[in-house]
Amino acid sequence: MNICRTVEELNSAIESVKLQHKTIGLVPTMGALHDGHKSLFIRARKENDVFVSSVFVNPIQFNNKEDFEKYPRDEQKDLAVLEECGCDIAFVPKAEDVYQQEPKEFHFGKLEEVMEGKQRPGHFSGVANIVSRLFLWTKADRAYFGEKDYQQIAIIKDMIRQENINIEIVPCPIYRDEDGLATSSRNQRLSKEARLIAPKIHQILEKSFLQKDSLSFNQITRFVEDEFAKVKEFQLEYFIIVDDTTLQPIHTRENNQGVVGCVAVWLDGVRLIDIQRYY
Ligand code: AMP
């Protein structure tokens, strides 16, 4: 595995791959790698000649300083995981190098007026800055993203349209621990007790799915809010049912419309997100 610590090193590694006309698959990450990341690595490894991954805790996408500082970091372990997953090029840059050119401000209109965009001002502009740079530097043919960060995928698709970047975005299903909790780097910050409560997030959403034919979306929303309120350790930030492409809130289903419920909830000082499809 070629470990590149600067953009210059990455450029020269990519140049030699491109000279051989090989396809490149990219998985951007912020490290603290877990089995959810691995599920993306496995696909990128299988579907491309060359598998590139980045580990970079992107400061400008955190709107909360404490969250950035507390974000788990373990570079040696991450590099070992990448190596084990057959990574060819690991890009582990420093912020000074990534942001030699000042970040620009991205706008995503209605797409960012809901959920994470609404709750975390500036977050998606920060994400778009790092991801657009990674796409240009790695010259990847495909990039893999997890559906846990559901809104992020829509934002990135819009970003490549705005920036005219030719790359295939590959959405990947949420990977869950055996008890149903979506794996996340933030899970390791949960206390033992909180970790036992966390799977209720997926359980509540699954229960709500079973009601989809008998309840309206407004009633499902109330049901989910009530279920979260019953567990005193949870503080629900939002639960919202949206069209799976436009991400706009919906109240009744049109024919064949894809519908997804998105949740953000605090538990033990940790903010967790998850989704549930209703089709
Ligand atoms: P992060 O390191 O948290 O920025 O995540 C890097 C990528 O891994 C993003 O595309 C995430 O959506 C994806 N990812 C994180 N957790 C999971 C999971 N449990 N299942 C699937 N993809 C995930």
Side-chain angles (χ1 to χ4, degrees), residues 27-31 34 36-37 39-40 71 144-149 152 172-176 182-185:
V27 183
T29 82
M30 297 207 299
H34 50 71
H37 294 112
S39 67
L40 273 53
Y71 203 85
Y144 297 79
F145 292 90
E147 288 188 333
K148 183 165 82 71
D149 300 280
Q152 173 168 276
C172 302
I174 296 186
Y175 184 90
R176 297 179 184 282
T183 58
S184 164
S185 309

Side-chain angles (χ1 to χ4, degrees), residues 79-242:
L79 291 174
V81 171
L82 286 173
E83 180 115 55
E84 172 202 315
C85 293
C87 179
D88 299 296
I89 300 174
F91 182 45
V92 279
K94 295 247 179 313
E96 304 88 84
D97 200 23
V98 168
Y99 292 115
Q100 273 182 42
Q101 268 197 5
E102 286 288 296
K104 73 178 226 185
E105 213 173 292
F106 281 88
H107 297 282
F108 298 101
K110 281 193 167 311
L111 269 186
E112 62 177 345
E113 282 171 15
V114 288
M115 307 189 290
E116 299 300 286
K118 183 172 168 197
Q119 302 294 337
R120 306 175 66 187
H123 168 65
F124 283 128
S125 184
V127 169
N129 268 280
I130 181 63
V131 173
S132 59
R133 285 167 205 226
L134 290 171
F135 285 180
L136 295 172
W137 292 332
T138 60
K139 301 190 167 69
D141 299 275
R142 299 186 190 89
Y144 297 79
F145 292 90
E147 288 188 333
K148 183 165 82 71
D149 300 280
Y150 195 82
Q151 191 175 13
Q152 173 168 276
I153 296 178
I155 293 282
I156 286 166
K157 285 182 178 168
D158 198 57
M159 179 276 287
I160 61 170
R161 181 190 60 74
Q162 290 184 28
E163 298 289 295
N164 252 312
I165 302 175
N166 185 18
I167 188 168
E168 184 189 343
I169 305 301
V170 185
C172 302
I174 296 186
Y175 184 90
R176 297 179 184 282
D177 279 337
E178 260 172 35
D179 57 14
L181 177 64
T183 58
S184 164
S185 309
R186 290 186 171 88
N187 293 354
Q188 50 176 281
R189 283 168 45 197
L190 295 170
S191 67
K192 253 193 188 151
E193 296 72 28
R195 178 61 191 78
L196 290 173
I197 295 167
K200 289 189 193 293
I201 300 170
H202 181 54
Q203 287 162 16
I204 292 172
L205 294 178
E206 274 195 318
K207 254 205 241 171
S208 74
F209 173 79
L210 298 177
Q211 321 246 15
K212 72 178 184 343
D213 295 327
S214 54
L215 297 185
S216 69
F217 288 141
N218 284 347
Q219 287 169 322
I220 291 180
T221 304
R222 224 163 307 138
F223 172 81
V224 169
E225 287 169 352
D226 288 348
E227 290 293 304
F228 274 104
K230 281 184 198 162
V231 184
K232 67 175 188 324
E233 290 83 356
F234 283 141
Q235 288 91 45
L236 185 64
E237 189 172 295
Y238 65 78
F239 172 74
I240 182 167
I241 297 181
V242 297

Side-chain angles (χ1 to χ4, degrees), residues 54-70:
S54 57
V55 174
F56 178 62
V57 184
N58 178 32
I60 70 165
Q61 75 183 65
F62 286 82
N63 52 325
N64 177 330
K65 194 162 167 261
E66 194 187 337
D67 194 24
F68 173 65
E69 279 160 6
K70 282 196 183 161

Side-chain angles (χ1 to χ4, degrees), residues 2 4 7-20 22 24 50 52 89 134 136-140:
N2 184 353
C4 299
V7 177
E8 216 180 332
E9 286 172 13
L10 178 66
N11 282 341
S12 78
I14 296 297
E15 201 177 314
S16 72
V17 171
K18 283 285 162 186
L19 283 173
Q20 300 170 61
K22 291 182 170 169
I24 298 176
V50 171
V52 180
I89 300 174
L134 290 171
L136 295 172
W137 292 332
T138 60
K139 301 190 167 69

